């Protein structure tokens, strides 16, 4: 309602009151505080409540006409009756015109509707009138077409108009010559008219605030995603910290390089985990952008911004565990640099994951592409192969590898600027310099900005909807 109810200048408490009214109208009060959940795993709302929730989302815009395409599909007779009853209630209470396509309705569901428009194969109309008048219409064509008491009216109508019971009768011609058709033709006006719509768009900042707020809440409620990242951050850093325990205090450069290599690889797991929520909620994103709830740019920006507080938390936890267990330098400048580079790393890698999610058709393709990308980045980040040993046709990966700049910055900040021998080793084998440490941090930040920008743009350009 906050995103769709016009005018957008309407007070927030009135929008909340309208949303509450819709919940009551659709008999969803008992589900008001329940998460929608994953239907495939049986979590959250029952199926009939999901159908009514979908109706409620559209009613939040306070439309004058609601089109529902087979709202009872996949429901049992009782659930179907509940959904159609909610639509009927909305039509009567809100002064709403509801146009439904319905598939194999029960007698109870069929009689809930006021009027029936029945089309024969080819799209030609054979009946367009009230449902109570249907039996009289059929009886006028012949007593053998009349509805029997024990027969479902909807099934009988299909058998007569489109099935074996009506063979030999031209129902299209009969309808076109009927008083029903002539009355409708005389009633309906084909004159062009103007439709008045409030075309004032909601401001970008208002949309961004609302979508960002929802994304943060969604992250917080996605316990599996958050728990995976939280426990992985703690357990993986503790293991690496134990393996390289206090190696930094003993001046072991080789061990320090190895510890930093594994520290950066720990941060790559969010790249893969960040894909799943985006691809899972893709259908919701398509539906809401197509309905004008918000723009793709707003969604892309909100996805990036919503990760920031969580990435900040995970980055600080990772730093606190790893840095002191490994026993790295206690100089203030080096500590500050390590924190900044860690936060940048924990921001850029989930952003790359979101970028892959937007360009991938499904979770399998995204995870496959992400795993391949991480393999290539790990091979060419300067640890397993020093730069001069990387084949010429792969050297471009080294220069465009964000993990390389992370390792480069953390390593020169930790072991550089202390011993001329170590500085010479870094310069000869890696062409890395302690004096360039802040430049490496800037490059990592630029990678984050580029990935975030591309993700936001691709959110508006690529669609994987199946038609």
């Amino acid at each position: 309602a906050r995103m769709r109810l016009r005018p957008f200048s309407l007070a927030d408490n009135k929008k909340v009151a309208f949303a509450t009214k819709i919940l009551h109208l659709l008999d969803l009060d008992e589900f008001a505080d329940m998460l929608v959940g994953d239907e495939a795993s049986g979590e959250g709302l029952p199926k009939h409540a999901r159908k009514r929730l979908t109706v409620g989302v559209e009613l939040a815009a306070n439309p004058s006409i609601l089109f529902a395409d087979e709202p009872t599909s996949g429901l049992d007779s009782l659930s179907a009756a509940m959904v159609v009853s909610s639509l009927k209630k909305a039509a009567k209470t809100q002064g709403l015109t509801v146009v439904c396509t319905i598939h194999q309705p029960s007698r109870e569901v069929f009689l809930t509707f006021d009027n029936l428009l029945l089309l024969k194969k080819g799209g030609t109309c054979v009946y367009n009138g009230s449902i109570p008048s249907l039996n009289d219409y059929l009886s006028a064509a012949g007593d053998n077409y009349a509805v029997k008491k024990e027969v479902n009216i909807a099934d009988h109508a299909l058998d007569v108009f489109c099935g074996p019971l009506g063979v030999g009768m031209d129902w299209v011609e009969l309808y076109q010559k009927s008083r029903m058709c002539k009355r409708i033709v005389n009633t309906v006006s084909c004159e062009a008219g103007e439709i008045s719509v409030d075309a004032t768009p909601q401001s970008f900042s208002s949309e961004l605030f609302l979508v960002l707020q929802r994304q943060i809440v969604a992250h917080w409620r996605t316990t599996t995603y958050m728990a995976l990242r939280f426990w992985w951050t703690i357990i993986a850093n503790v293991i690496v910290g134990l393996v390289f325990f206090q190696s930094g205090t003993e001046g072991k450069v080789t061990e320090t390089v190895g510890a930093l290599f594994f520290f950066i690889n720990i941060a790559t797991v969010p790249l893969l985990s960040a894909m799943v929520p985006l691809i899972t909620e893709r259908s919701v994103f398509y539906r809401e952008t197509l309905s004008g709830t918000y723009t793709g740019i707003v969604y892309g920006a909100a996805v990036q911004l919503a990760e920031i507080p969580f990435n900040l938390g995970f980055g600080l936890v990772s730093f606190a565990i790893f840095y002191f267990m490994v026993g790295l330098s206690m100089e203030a400048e080096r500590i500050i640099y390590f924190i900044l580079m860690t936060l940048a790393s924990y921001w850029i890698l989930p952003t790359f994951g979101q970028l892959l999610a937007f360009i991938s058709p499904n979770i399998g393709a995204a995870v496959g592409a992400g795993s391949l990308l991480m393999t290539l980045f790990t091979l060419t980040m300067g640890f397993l192969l020093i730069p001069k040993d990387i084949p010429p046709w792969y050297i471009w990966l080294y220069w465009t590898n964000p993990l390389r700049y992370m390792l480069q910055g953390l390593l020169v900040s930790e072991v550089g600027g202390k011993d001329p021998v170590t500085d010479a080793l870094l310069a000869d084998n890696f062409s890395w310099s302690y004096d360039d440490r802040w430049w490496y941090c800037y490059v990592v930040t630029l990678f984050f900005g580029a990935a975030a920008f591309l993700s936001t743009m691709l959110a508006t350009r690529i669609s994987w909807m199946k038609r």
Side-chain angles (χ1 to χ4, degrees):
R2 287 183 172 125
M3 297 293 294
R4 303 186 65 187
L5 190 60
R6 294 172 183 267
F8 294 128
S9 58
L10 194 66
D12 187 70
N13 62 330
K14 292 184 178 179
K15 294 181 179 180
V16 173
F18 183 78
T20 304
K21 178 183 176 182
I22 296 298
L23 283 175
H24 181 69
L25 183 67
L26 299 176
D27 296 321
L28 289 172
D29 298 280
E30 60 179 304
F31 305 110
D33 298 319
M34 184 181 293
L35 294 178
V36 176
D38 181 18
E39 183 178 358
S41 59
E43 300 175 349
L45 298 178
K47 197 163 187 176
H48 61 84
R50 293 174 186 271
K51 294 279 188 178
R52 285 181 284 159
L53 175 61
T54 302
V55 173
V57 169
E58 298 307 317
L59 291 181
N62 196 22
S64 57
I65 302 176
L66 177 65
F67 293 92
D69 184 17
E70 297 190 9
T72 60
S73 294
L75 301 178
D76 56 52
S77 57
L78 179 60
S79 298
M82 292 173 66
V83 171
V84 174
S85 176
S86 297
L87 289 171
K88 178 86 170 181
K89 190 175 179 182
K92 297 299 182 183
T93 306
Q94 298 293 108
L96 182 68
T97 300
V98 178
V99 180
C100 267
T101 58
I102 203 79
H103 180 65
Q104 291 184 325
S106 65
R107 182 184 181 91
E108 180 183 5
V109 168
F110 186 70
L111 293 176
T112 304
F113 292 93
D114 297 319
N115 295 287
L116 170 67
L117 171 60
L118 185 60
L119 303 179
K120 193 178 177 64
K121 186 176 181 180
T124 52
C125 182
V126 292
Y127 184 82
N128 186 5
S130 66
I131 289 179
S133 303
L134 177 60
N135 190 37
D136 295 337
Y137 182 82
L138 292 173
S139 298
D143 292 338
N144 55 320
Y145 299 126
V147 181
K148 307 298 188 295
K149 290 183 179 180
E150 68 279 3
V151 175
N152 184 341
I153 302 177
D155 293 338
H156 181 77
L158 289 176
D159 288 338
V160 170
F161 289 117
C162 309
L165 296 182
V167 174
M169 175 67 74
D170 189 345
W171 294 104
V172 175
E173 182 181 359
L174 181 66
Y175 170 74
Q176 291 175 347
K177 293 180 178 180
S178 67
R179 287 181 296 174
M180 178 189 301
C181 179
K182 295 177 181 178
R183 184 174 63 253
I184 292 174
V185 171
N186 293 332
T187 302
V188 175
S189 173
C190 297
E191 295 181 2
E194 294 184 358
I195 300 176
S196 178
V197 178
D198 181 6
T200 305
Q202 185 153 226
S203 67
F204 177 84
S205 58
S206 298
E207 283 190 8
L208 180 60
F209 174 78
L210 292 172
V211 179
L212 174 60
Q213 185 181 45
R214 189 185 69 172
Q215 287 297 119
I216 293 176
V217 172
H219 277 329
W220 183 256
R221 290 174 174 175
T222 311
T223 53
T224 304
Y225 173 57
M226 286 293 115
L228 170 65
R229 294 185 60 182
F230 177 76
W231 288 112
W232 167 258
T233 300
I234 291 178
I235 295 173
N237 278 286
V238 168
I239 292 174
V240 173
L242 290 174
V243 172
F244 297 97
F245 188 72
Q246 296 301 306
S247 62
T249 59
E250 300 172 4
K252 298 178 180 178
V253 176
T254 304
E255 285 81 354
T256 301
V257 176
L260 293 172
F261 170 79
F262 285 106
F263 175 75
I264 293 172
N265 274 274
I266 290 172
T268 62
V269 169
L271 181 148
L272 300 177
S273 61
M275 303 174 185
V276 178
L278 278 184
I279 297 177
T280 302
E281 67 182 26
R282 181 177 284 171
S283 59
V284 177
F285 163 62
Y286 288 149
R287 183 177 69 239
E288 293 180 340
T289 51
L290 289 174
S291 66
T293 305
Y294 48 77
T295 63
I297 292 179
V298 165
Y299 177 77
V303 165
Q304 306 298 328
L305 295 174
E307 289 279 352
I308 290 179
F310 300 100
N311 293 335
L312 176 65
F314 292 131
L316 291 177
V317 169
S318 184
F319 158 77
I321 296 173
F322 175 86
Y323 198 87
F324 298 106
M325 287 190 71
V326 177
L328 299 181
S329 174
M330 296 305 295
E331 295 180 24
E333 182 185 350
R334 298 179 192 267
I335 292 176
I336 293 173
Y337 183 92
F338 195 98
I339 292 175
L340 293 175
M341 186 63 86
T342 299
L343 295 180
S345 302
Y346 272 79
W347 281 335
I348 185 176
L349 292 171
T351 303
F352 268 100
Q354 293 160 356
L355 174 61
L356 291 174
F358 282 124
I359 65 176
S360 301
N362 51 55
I363 292 177
V367 172
S371 300
L372 176 62
L373 186 64
M374 284 300 98
T375 301
L376 294 174
F377 280 170
T378 302
L379 285 172
T380 58
M381 64 189 292
F383 176 76
L384 299 176
L385 287 173
I386 60 176
K388 64 181 180 181
D389 290 338
I390 298 176
W393 54 88
Y394 280 143
I395 196 66
W396 63 272
L397 278 171
Y398 171 76
W399 291 103
T400 58
N401 187 345
L403 301 188
R404 166 250 169 141
Y405 294 99
M406 295 173 193
L407 177 62
Q408 194 172 2
L410 293 175
L411 180 60
V412 299
S413 174
E414 181 57 33
V415 303
K418 298 178 180 178
D419 179 17
V421 175
T422 303
D423 289 342
L425 179 67
L426 292 174
D428 294 340
N429 292 300
F430 301 96
S431 299
W432 296 355
S433 171
Y434 175 74
D435 296 331
D436 295 332
R437 64 193 183 281
W438 288 108
W439 184 80
Y440 304 145
C441 192
Y442 299 149
V443 172
V444 171
T445 305
L446 288 175
F447 268 110
F448 166 71
F453 176 77
L454 282 175
S455 296
T456 303
M457 292 298 102
L458 291 175
T460 66
R461 303 298 180 186
I462 295 180
S463 174
W464 293 105
M465 285 191 302
K466 294 182 179 179
R467 299 187 181 277

